[in-house]
Structures are given as structure tokens and as C-alpha cells.
Amino acid sequence: MIIAPSILTADLSNLAVSCQEAIDAGINVLHLDVMDGNFVPNMTFGPPVIKSLRNALGDDVHFDAHLMISNAEECYMDYINAGCNHISVHVEATTHLHRLVMAIRDAGATAGVVLNPATPIETITEILPDLDLVLIMSVNPGFGGQSFIASVEGKIRRLKSMIDQQVANGGRPVQIQIDGGIKAHNIAMVGEWGVANCVVGSGLFNKQASVKENLQALKTALEV
Ligand code: DX5
Ligand code: ZN
């Protein structure tokens, strides 16, 4: 199971320090929640902050950008040029999804599509063969620390079946990522559903324990 810390709930006034704490704890991927205040009712950071973070942290850590923005088709290259290795875009915010996914991949990044809780899996049937990752939101996007929406189970299980069938037919494997409300008490459960990559925000960055201690609790939960 990949654990991808969402830096949304890190100390944004000391972002590089918070990220370095996660890297020192053994993390090698950071989930960057980009919000524009339009597609979602919150605003975070964009390419300048990401570029500064890349300069501060070096080239090894994988930057997984989750674009919760209305104009990803116009500005995806800004995120790749800022140092993002992976770009996930919302199906709900994209008119020409196939063109955007192919453009992201042609630019050398891996490409993912994000589905909000109410968005059916069937919206990505045609694009699934071209994806590296599908991100299933288990909260409504915009904020960290929200409650897990358990009703996404059926959607994830159906997606896993679709991907298994695609691979059986010689197609590409696609990673299932989940995002929102993932903690030590439910991370193993979503793994059984077929999730291979968990975004964790407040479950890692909080005042109750260090990132290292919180990461260990997640890993212990996965071992049982
Ligand atoms: C919400 C973001 C999530 C969120 C996860 O819009 O996409 O990545 O920060 O935070 P937790 O794990 O606290 O739900
Ligand atoms: Zn996210």
C-alpha cells in the first residue's frame, strides 16, 4: 500500500519543514492538493509554491498533484514545469478529458482522473485504458479532516473489477487511489476493496503525534 501524505493539513507556514519531516519518516511521495476557490470552496497553492518546494526538497520525492481547479486544461503544464511527476484531474471539471490525459502523458508525467463521491465510475469507462491512476474521493473535496464516506466501497470494488478485466485483456494496469478520511482504523479495509494508494492528510499531520508515529500506526494497521 502506498501512503501519500496530503500536505493540506501540514503546517503551511513551514511547508518545507513539514514535508521534510515526512520524508525523514520514510515517505517518498507528497500529495499536493491544489485548490482554486472556484471548483472547490477553498484555495491553497499553485505552481510557484510547488516549484519552491521542489527546490527545497530535491528531485527524489514524488510530487502527486491533485488539481481541484476549473482550468486544468489550460494550466496543467505549469504544474509539470513546477516539478510535479503526476497530475490528477477531476472528470467533473474537464470538458476534453481524453485530450488532457494524453497531453499530460506526452509531457512526461503520469496521468490520473479523480471522481467526486457522487460521480459514477461509468464516466471513465472510455478513458480507463489510457490512465495510470484513478483517484476515488471518499470526502467531498476542499478540506482535510472530514469524515470518511464509506458508501464509496461499491464504486471501488466495481472499478477494481473493471481494471482486472482490462489487464486480463492485455490492457494496462491502473492504480486505485483513495483520498479523504483515511486513518489507521480503515486503511486495511480499503486495501481489501482494491485500493493500492492511500492519501492521508490529518491522519499524518496532526497535533496528537508526530508524522513518524502516525505513519507507524498506519503501517501497523496494514500488517494485521
Ligand atoms: C480534500 C483533499 C484531500 C484531503 C485529505 O479535498 O483532496 O487530499 O486533504 O485529508 P484527510 O486525510 O484529513 O481527509
Ligand atoms: Zn487530495
Side-chain angles (χ1 to χ4, degrees), residues 6 8 31 33 35 66 68 137 141-145 179-181 199 201-202:
S6 156
L8 181 65
H31 181 80
D33 282 314
M35 301 180 185
H66 174 190
M68 289 164 274
M137 292 304 295
F143 304 93
D179 185 3
V199 175
S202 55

Side-chain angles (χ1 to χ4, degrees), residues 9-37:
T9 35
D11 175 1
L12 297 179
S13 70
N14 285 296
L15 195 48
V17 171
S18 287
C19 292
Q20 192 59 57
E21 182 190 358
I23 293 166
D24 293 347
I27 288 289
N28 59 10
V29 53
L30 294 172
H31 181 80
L32 311 178
D33 282 314
V34 177
M35 301 180 185
D36 65 0

Side-chain angles (χ1 to χ4, degrees), residues 1-3 184 187-189 191 198 217-224:
M1 178 71 78
I2 294 167
I3 296 173
I187 192 168
M189 175 183 72
C198 283
L218 292 165
K219 287 181 174 177
T220 303
L222 288 167
E223 286 160 7
V224 296

